[in-house]
mmCIF file of all heavy atoms in Angstrom:
data_model
loop_
_atom_site.group_PDB
_atom_site.id
_atom_site.type_symbol
_atom_site.label_atom_id
_atom_site.label_comp_id
_atom_site.label_asym_id
_atom_site.label_seq_id
_atom_site.Cartn_x
_atom_site.Cartn_y
_atom_site.Cartn_z
ATOM 1 N N LYS A 166 -29.244 5.262 24.014
ATOM 2 C CA LYS A 166 -29.984 4.167 24.639
ATOM 3 C C LYS A 166 -31.320 4.683 25.123
ATOM 4 O O LYS A 166 -31.438 5.848 25.537
ATOM 5 C CB LYS A 166 -29.208 3.579 25.819
ATOM 6 C CG LYS A 166 -27.858 2.961 25.443
ATOM 7 C CD LYS A 166 -27.155 2.418 26.674
ATOM 8 C CE LYS A 166 -25.813 1.821 26.327
ATOM 9 N NZ LYS A 166 -25.109 1.284 27.526
ATOM 10 N N ALA A 167 -32.301 3.819 25.099
ATOM 11 C CA ALA A 167 -33.637 4.201 25.574
ATOM 12 C C ALA A 167 -34.347 2.962 26.098
ATOM 13 O O ALA A 167 -34.083 1.840 25.659
ATOM 14 C CB ALA A 167 -34.448 4.841 24.449
ATOM 15 N N TYR A 168 -35.251 3.198 27.065
ATOM 16 C CA TYR A 168 -36.058 2.098 27.576
ATOM 17 C C TYR A 168 -37.350 2.675 28.145
ATOM 18 O O TYR A 168 -37.448 3.861 28.496
ATOM 19 C CB TYR A 168 -35.312 1.295 28.647
ATOM 20 C CG TYR A 168 -35.047 2.044 29.934
ATOM 21 C CD1 TYR A 168 -36.001 2.087 30.950
ATOM 22 C CD2 TYR A 168 -33.833 2.691 30.139
ATOM 23 C CE1 TYR A 168 -35.752 2.758 32.132
ATOM 24 C CE2 TYR A 168 -33.574 3.360 31.304
ATOM 25 C CZ TYR A 168 -34.542 3.403 32.311
ATOM 26 O OH TYR A 168 -34.302 4.079 33.480
ATOM 27 N N SER A 169 -38.347 1.803 28.235
ATOM 28 C CA SER A 169 -39.626 2.153 28.850
ATOM 29 C C SER A 169 -40.146 0.910 29.562
ATOM 30 O O SER A 169 -40.328 -0.139 28.942
ATOM 31 C CB SER A 169 -40.624 2.620 27.787
ATOM 32 O OG SER A 169 -41.862 2.972 28.392
ATOM 33 N N LEU A 170 -40.334 1.017 30.883
ATOM 34 C CA LEU A 170 -40.740 -0.117 31.714
ATOM 35 C C LEU A 170 -42.045 0.215 32.422
ATOM 36 O O LEU A 170 -42.257 1.345 32.884
ATOM 37 C CB LEU A 170 -39.660 -0.433 32.748
ATOM 38 C CG LEU A 170 -38.268 -0.758 32.194
ATOM 39 C CD1 LEU A 170 -37.291 -0.938 33.338
ATOM 40 C CD2 LEU A 170 -38.321 -2.000 31.322
ATOM 41 N N ALA A 171 -42.903 -0.759 32.524
ATOM 42 C CA ALA A 171 -44.191 -0.586 33.204
ATOM 43 C C ALA A 171 -44.412 -1.734 34.178
ATOM 44 O O ALA A 171 -44.161 -2.897 33.838
ATOM 45 C CB ALA A 171 -45.327 -0.535 32.189
ATOM 46 N N GLU A 172 -44.862 -1.403 35.392
ATOM 47 C CA GLU A 172 -45.197 -2.402 36.404
ATOM 48 C C GLU A 172 -46.618 -2.108 36.895
ATOM 49 O O GLU A 172 -46.842 -1.525 37.958
ATOM 50 C CB GLU A 172 -44.212 -2.340 37.568
ATOM 51 C CG GLU A 172 -42.789 -2.678 37.167
ATOM 52 C CD GLU A 172 -41.833 -2.668 38.349
ATOM 53 O OE1 GLU A 172 -42.315 -2.860 39.482
ATOM 54 O OE2 GLU A 172 -40.624 -2.460 38.122
ATOM 55 N N PRO A 173 -47.628 -2.502 36.096
ATOM 56 C CA PRO A 173 -49.018 -2.168 36.462
ATOM 57 C C PRO A 173 -49.591 -3.027 37.583
ATOM 58 O O PRO A 173 -50.640 -2.684 38.144
ATOM 59 C CB PRO A 173 -49.759 -2.408 35.152
ATOM 60 C CG PRO A 173 -48.967 -3.471 34.457
ATOM 61 C CD PRO A 173 -47.541 -3.215 34.831
ATOM 62 N N LEU A 174 -48.962 -4.143 37.894
ATOM 63 C CA LEU A 174 -49.475 -5.031 38.936
ATOM 64 C C LEU A 174 -48.460 -5.129 40.054
ATOM 65 O O LEU A 174 -47.247 -5.016 39.834
ATOM 66 C CB LEU A 174 -49.746 -6.426 38.355
ATOM 67 C CG LEU A 174 -50.757 -6.490 37.187
ATOM 68 C CD1 LEU A 174 -50.867 -7.920 36.669
ATOM 69 C CD2 LEU A 174 -52.117 -5.976 37.645
ATOM 70 N N GLY A 175 -48.921 -5.346 41.247
ATOM 71 C CA GLY A 175 -48.053 -5.440 42.395
ATOM 72 C C GLY A 175 -48.343 -4.338 43.400
ATOM 73 O O GLY A 175 -49.206 -3.455 43.201
ATOM 74 N N TYR A 176 -47.606 -4.378 44.498
ATOM 75 C CA TYR A 176 -47.832 -3.385 45.545
ATOM 76 C C TYR A 176 -47.438 -1.987 45.075
ATOM 77 O O TYR A 176 -48.133 -1.005 45.338
ATOM 78 C CB TYR A 176 -47.041 -3.776 46.799
ATOM 79 C CG TYR A 176 -47.308 -2.872 47.970
ATOM 80 C CD1 TYR A 176 -48.462 -3.030 48.743
ATOM 81 C CD2 TYR A 176 -46.421 -1.857 48.294
ATOM 82 C CE1 TYR A 176 -48.705 -2.190 49.817
ATOM 83 C CE2 TYR A 176 -46.653 -1.006 49.358
ATOM 84 C CZ TYR A 176 -47.801 -1.182 50.126
ATOM 85 O OH TYR A 176 -48.047 -0.346 51.182
ATOM 86 N N TYR A 177 -46.263 -1.913 44.416
ATOM 87 C CA TYR A 177 -45.803 -0.638 43.856
ATOM 88 C C TYR A 177 -46.068 -0.645 42.354
ATOM 89 O O TYR A 177 -45.483 -1.424 41.605
ATOM 90 C CB TYR A 177 -44.298 -0.434 44.111
ATOM 91 C CG TYR A 177 -43.947 -0.268 45.570
ATOM 92 C CD1 TYR A 177 -43.413 -1.330 46.303
ATOM 93 C CD2 TYR A 177 -44.148 0.958 46.206
ATOM 94 C CE1 TYR A 177 -43.085 -1.175 47.635
ATOM 95 C CE2 TYR A 177 -43.814 1.114 47.542
ATOM 96 C CZ TYR A 177 -43.292 0.053 48.256
ATOM 97 O OH TYR A 177 -42.969 0.209 49.577
ATOM 98 N N LYS A 178 -46.996 0.199 41.961
ATOM 99 C CA LYS A 178 -47.314 0.346 40.538
ATOM 100 C C LYS A 178 -46.526 1.555 40.026
ATOM 101 O O LYS A 178 -46.774 2.675 40.439
ATOM 102 C CB LYS A 178 -48.812 0.534 40.335
ATOM 103 C CG LYS A 178 -49.648 -0.639 40.816
ATOM 104 C CD LYS A 178 -51.130 -0.373 40.605
ATOM 105 C CE LYS A 178 -51.961 -1.552 41.051
ATOM 106 N NZ LYS A 178 -51.793 -1.846 42.489
ATOM 107 N N ARG A 179 -45.585 1.304 39.118
ATOM 108 C CA ARG A 179 -44.728 2.397 38.660
ATOM 109 C C ARG A 179 -44.442 2.235 37.171
ATOM 110 O O ARG A 179 -44.497 1.135 36.617
ATOM 111 C CB ARG A 179 -43.422 2.434 39.439
ATOM 112 C CG ARG A 179 -42.669 1.121 39.483
ATOM 113 C CD ARG A 179 -41.407 1.211 40.294
ATOM 114 N NE ARG A 179 -40.674 -0.049 40.281
ATOM 115 C CZ ARG A 179 -39.380 -0.166 40.427
ATOM 116 N NH1 ARG A 179 -38.648 0.918 40.616
ATOM 117 N NH2 ARG A 179 -38.780 -1.340 40.408
ATOM 118 N N TYR A 180 -44.111 3.368 36.565
ATOM 119 C CA TYR A 180 -43.848 3.437 35.131
ATOM 120 C C TYR A 180 -42.590 4.288 34.926
ATOM 121 O O TYR A 180 -42.502 5.412 35.421
ATOM 122 C CB TYR A 180 -45.042 4.040 34.386
ATOM 123 C CG TYR A 180 -46.324 3.308 34.663
ATOM 124 C CD1 TYR A 180 -47.124 3.647 35.760
ATOM 125 C CD2 TYR A 180 -46.732 2.246 33.848
ATOM 126 C CE1 TYR A 180 -48.298 2.971 36.029
ATOM 127 C CE2 TYR A 180 -47.913 1.560 34.126
ATOM 128 C CZ TYR A 180 -48.684 1.918 35.213
ATOM 129 O OH TYR A 180 -49.845 1.240 35.491
ATOM 130 N N ARG A 181 -41.625 3.744 34.187
ATOM 131 C CA ARG A 181 -40.350 4.432 33.997
ATOM 132 C C ARG A 181 -39.967 4.437 32.522
ATOM 133 O O ARG A 181 -40.090 3.417 31.836
ATOM 134 C CB ARG A 181 -39.237 3.749 34.790
ATOM 135 C CG ARG A 181 -39.397 3.818 36.297
ATOM 136 C CD ARG A 181 -38.488 2.821 36.978
ATOM 137 N NE ARG A 181 -38.905 1.453 36.737
ATOM 138 C CZ ARG A 181 -38.111 0.400 36.850
ATOM 139 N NH1 ARG A 181 -36.845 0.571 37.174
ATOM 140 N NH2 ARG A 181 -38.568 -0.810 36.617
ATOM 141 N N SER A 182 -39.503 5.566 32.068
ATOM 142 C CA SER A 182 -39.012 5.727 30.696
ATOM 143 C C SER A 182 -37.762 6.598 30.740
ATOM 144 O O SER A 182 -37.656 7.503 31.581
ATOM 145 C CB SER A 182 -40.059 6.371 29.780
ATOM 146 O OG SER A 182 -41.227 5.568 29.714
ATOM 147 N N ALA A 183 -36.831 6.317 29.848
ATOM 148 C CA ALA A 183 -35.591 7.095 29.837
ATOM 149 C C ALA A 183 -34.941 7.009 28.467
ATOM 150 O O ALA A 183 -35.097 6.029 27.738
ATOM 151 C CB ALA A 183 -34.617 6.600 30.908
ATOM 152 N N VAL A 184 -34.188 8.059 28.109
ATOM 153 C CA VAL A 184 -33.343 8.084 26.922
ATOM 154 C C VAL A 184 -32.003 8.677 27.349
ATOM 155 O O VAL A 184 -31.964 9.687 28.061
ATOM 156 C CB VAL A 184 -33.996 8.891 25.776
ATOM 157 C CG1 VAL A 184 -34.293 10.320 26.197
ATOM 158 C CG2 VAL A 184 -33.093 8.885 24.540
ATOM 159 N N LYS A 185 -30.918 8.033 26.943
ATOM 160 C CA LYS A 185 -29.582 8.466 27.355
ATOM 161 C C LYS A 185 -28.665 8.513 26.136
ATOM 162 O O LYS A 185 -28.852 7.762 25.174
ATOM 163 C CB LYS A 185 -28.996 7.499 28.399
ATOM 164 C CG LYS A 185 -29.829 7.348 29.650
ATOM 165 C CD LYS A 185 -29.205 6.328 30.592
ATOM 166 C CE LYS A 185 -30.067 6.140 31.844
ATOM 167 N NZ LYS A 185 -29.467 5.132 32.770
ATOM 168 N N PHE A 186 -27.696 9.372 26.184
ATOM 169 C CA PHE A 186 -26.693 9.436 25.124
ATOM 170 C C PHE A 186 -25.313 9.536 25.759
ATOM 171 O O PHE A 186 -25.152 9.970 26.901
ATOM 172 C CB PHE A 186 -26.949 10.639 24.194
ATOM 173 C CG PHE A 186 -26.509 11.948 24.762
ATOM 174 C CD1 PHE A 186 -25.229 12.450 24.522
ATOM 175 C CD2 PHE A 186 -27.362 12.685 25.559
ATOM 176 C CE1 PHE A 186 -24.826 13.647 25.061
ATOM 177 C CE2 PHE A 186 -26.956 13.892 26.097
ATOM 178 C CZ PHE A 186 -25.688 14.384 25.855
ATOM 179 N N ASP A 187 -24.313 9.140 24.980
ATOM 180 C CA ASP A 187 -22.922 9.232 25.417
ATOM 181 C C ASP A 187 -22.069 9.548 24.196
ATOM 182 O O ASP A 187 -22.118 8.820 23.205
ATOM 183 C CB ASP A 187 -22.469 7.916 26.058
ATOM 184 C CG ASP A 187 -21.039 8.006 26.579
ATOM 185 O OD1 ASP A 187 -20.845 8.542 27.679
ATOM 186 O OD2 ASP A 187 -20.127 7.544 25.862
ATOM 187 N N GLN A 188 -21.302 10.640 24.268
ATOM 188 C CA GLN A 188 -20.460 11.065 23.163
ATOM 189 C C GLN A 188 -18.992 11.073 23.584
ATOM 190 O O GLN A 188 -18.573 11.932 24.352
ATOM 191 C CB GLN A 188 -20.855 12.475 22.687
ATOM 192 C CG GLN A 188 -19.962 13.034 21.596
ATOM 193 C CD GLN A 188 -19.943 12.156 20.360
ATOM 194 O OE1 GLN A 188 -20.976 11.957 19.738
ATOM 195 N NE2 GLN A 188 -18.784 11.605 20.015
ATOM 196 N N PRO A 189 -18.188 10.103 23.098
ATOM 197 C CA PRO A 189 -16.755 10.134 23.411
ATOM 198 C C PRO A 189 -16.092 11.372 22.801
ATOM 199 O O PRO A 189 -16.472 11.828 21.717
ATOM 200 C CB PRO A 189 -16.222 8.849 22.763
ATOM 201 C CG PRO A 189 -17.421 7.978 22.561
ATOM 202 C CD PRO A 189 -18.558 8.906 22.325
ATOM 203 N N LEU A 190 -15.115 11.908 23.500
ATOM 204 C CA LEU A 190 -14.391 13.100 23.053
ATOM 205 C C LEU A 190 -12.998 12.718 22.582
ATOM 206 O O LEU A 190 -12.370 11.806 23.134
ATOM 207 C CB LEU A 190 -14.284 14.117 24.187
ATOM 208 C CG LEU A 190 -15.608 14.603 24.788
ATOM 209 C CD1 LEU A 190 -15.344 15.553 25.930
ATOM 210 C CD2 LEU A 190 -16.480 15.263 23.726
ATOM 211 N N TRP A 191 -12.490 13.435 21.550
ATOM 212 C CA TRP A 191 -11.158 13.144 21.046
ATOM 213 C C TRP A 191 -10.077 13.434 22.081
ATOM 214 O O TRP A 191 -9.061 12.754 22.148
ATOM 215 C CB TRP A 191 -10.891 13.945 19.779
ATOM 216 C CG TRP A 191 -9.541 13.671 19.223
ATOM 217 C CD1 TRP A 191 -8.418 14.416 19.366
ATOM 218 C CD2 TRP A 191 -9.158 12.521 18.463
ATOM 219 N NE1 TRP A 191 -7.358 13.815 18.738
ATOM 220 C CE2 TRP A 191 -7.777 12.649 18.176
ATOM 221 C CE3 TRP A 191 -9.843 11.406 17.994
ATOM 222 C CZ2 TRP A 191 -7.085 11.701 17.440
ATOM 223 C CZ3 TRP A 191 -9.150 10.464 17.260
ATOM 224 C CH2 TRP A 191 -7.788 10.610 16.996
ATOM 225 N N GLY A 192 -10.292 14.429 22.909
ATOM 226 C CA GLY A 192 -9.307 14.757 23.919
ATOM 227 C C GLY A 192 -9.329 13.847 25.126
ATOM 228 O O GLY A 192 -8.545 14.034 26.050
ATOM 229 N N GLY A 193 -10.206 12.839 25.119
ATOM 230 C CA GLY A 193 -10.325 11.927 26.255
ATOM 231 C C GLY A 193 -11.615 12.163 27.007
ATOM 232 O O GLY A 193 -12.113 13.280 27.103
ATOM 233 N N GLY A 194 -12.157 11.115 27.582
ATOM 234 C CA GLY A 194 -13.402 11.236 28.329
ATOM 235 C C GLY A 194 -14.599 11.263 27.404
ATOM 236 O O GLY A 194 -14.533 10.904 26.229
ATOM 237 N N SER A 195 -15.722 11.736 27.953
ATOM 238 C CA SER A 195 -16.960 11.759 27.176
ATOM 239 C C SER A 195 -17.944 12.757 27.790
ATOM 240 O O SER A 195 -17.827 13.136 28.961
ATOM 241 C CB SER A 195 -17.599 10.366 27.132
ATOM 242 O OG SER A 195 -17.967 9.955 28.448
ATOM 243 N N VAL A 196 -18.906 13.163 26.985
ATOM 244 C CA VAL A 196 -20.042 13.964 27.429
ATOM 245 C C VAL A 196 -21.266 13.060 27.389
ATOM 246 O O VAL A 196 -21.468 12.329 26.426
ATOM 247 C CB VAL A 196 -20.237 15.190 26.514
ATOM 248 C CG1 VAL A 196 -21.502 15.942 26.893
ATOM 249 C CG2 VAL A 196 -19.033 16.118 26.596
ATOM 250 N N PHE A 197 -22.067 13.121 28.431
ATOM 251 C CA PHE A 197 -23.231 12.247 28.499
ATOM 252 C C PHE A 197 -24.405 13.037 29.049
ATOM 253 O O PHE A 197 -24.263 14.097 29.674
ATOM 254 C CB PHE A 197 -22.956 11.013 29.365
ATOM 255 C CG PHE A 197 -22.484 11.339 30.759
ATOM 256 C CD1 PHE A 197 -23.400 11.501 31.806
ATOM 257 C CD2 PHE A 197 -21.131 11.505 31.034
ATOM 258 C CE1 PHE A 197 -22.973 11.803 33.090
ATOM 259 C CE2 PHE A 197 -20.688 11.814 32.307
ATOM 260 C CZ PHE A 197 -21.614 11.966 33.338
ATOM 261 N N GLY A 198 -25.568 12.539 28.831
ATOM 262 C CA GLY A 198 -26.778 13.194 29.318
ATOM 263 C C GLY A 198 -27.987 12.349 29.007
ATOM 264 O O GLY A 198 -27.879 11.229 28.491
ATOM 265 N N GLY A 199 -29.161 12.900 29.321
ATOM 266 C CA GLY A 199 -30.365 12.159 29.032
ATOM 267 C C GLY A 199 -31.609 12.788 29.648
ATOM 268 O O GLY A 199 -31.573 13.876 30.236
ATOM 269 N N TYR A 200 -32.680 12.074 29.479
ATOM 270 C CA TYR A 200 -33.975 12.484 30.024
ATOM 271 C C TYR A 200 -34.649 11.235 30.551
ATOM 272 O O TYR A 200 -34.605 10.170 29.929
ATOM 273 C CB TYR A 200 -34.833 13.120 28.931
ATOM 274 C CG TYR A 200 -36.267 13.360 29.365
ATOM 275 C CD1 TYR A 200 -36.603 14.461 30.140
ATOM 276 C CD2 TYR A 200 -37.265 12.461 28.997
ATOM 277 C CE1 TYR A 200 -37.919 14.680 30.531
ATOM 278 C CE2 TYR A 200 -38.581 12.668 29.386
ATOM 279 C CZ TYR A 200 -38.906 13.776 30.158
ATOM 280 O OH TYR A 200 -40.199 13.983 30.567
ATOM 281 N N LYS A 201 -35.278 11.357 31.736
ATOM 282 C CA LYS A 201 -36.006 10.220 32.284
ATOM 283 C C LYS A 201 -37.295 10.709 32.920
ATOM 284 O O LYS A 201 -37.408 11.873 33.357
ATOM 285 C CB LYS A 201 -35.161 9.461 33.297
ATOM 286 C CG LYS A 201 -34.836 10.213 34.575
ATOM 287 C CD LYS A 201 -34.009 9.329 35.505
ATOM 288 C CE LYS A 201 -33.654 10.064 36.799
ATOM 289 N NZ LYS A 201 -32.863 9.218 37.718
ATOM 290 N N LEU A 202 -38.258 9.825 32.976
ATOM 291 C CA LEU A 202 -39.578 10.129 33.541
ATOM 292 C C LEU A 202 -40.013 8.930 34.363
ATOM 293 O O LEU A 202 -40.047 7.799 33.877
ATOM 294 C CB LEU A 202 -40.580 10.396 32.415
ATOM 295 C CG LEU A 202 -42.023 10.694 32.835
ATOM 296 C CD1 LEU A 202 -42.096 11.993 33.653
ATOM 297 C CD2 LEU A 202 -42.936 10.778 31.619
#
Side-chain angles (χ1 to χ4, degrees):
K166 298 179 181 180
Y168 67 86
S169 181
L170 302 176
E172 297 182 24
L174 301 177
Y176 185 79
Y177 294 101
K178 299 179 179 61
R179 52 181 182 153
Y180 305 87
R181 294 165 291 159
S182 299
V184 58
K185 302 177 182 180
F186 78 92
D187 183 81
Q188 176 59 62
L190 302 178
W191 180 261
S195 63
V196 174
F197 55 90
Y200 171 80
K201 67 179 179 179
L202 178 63

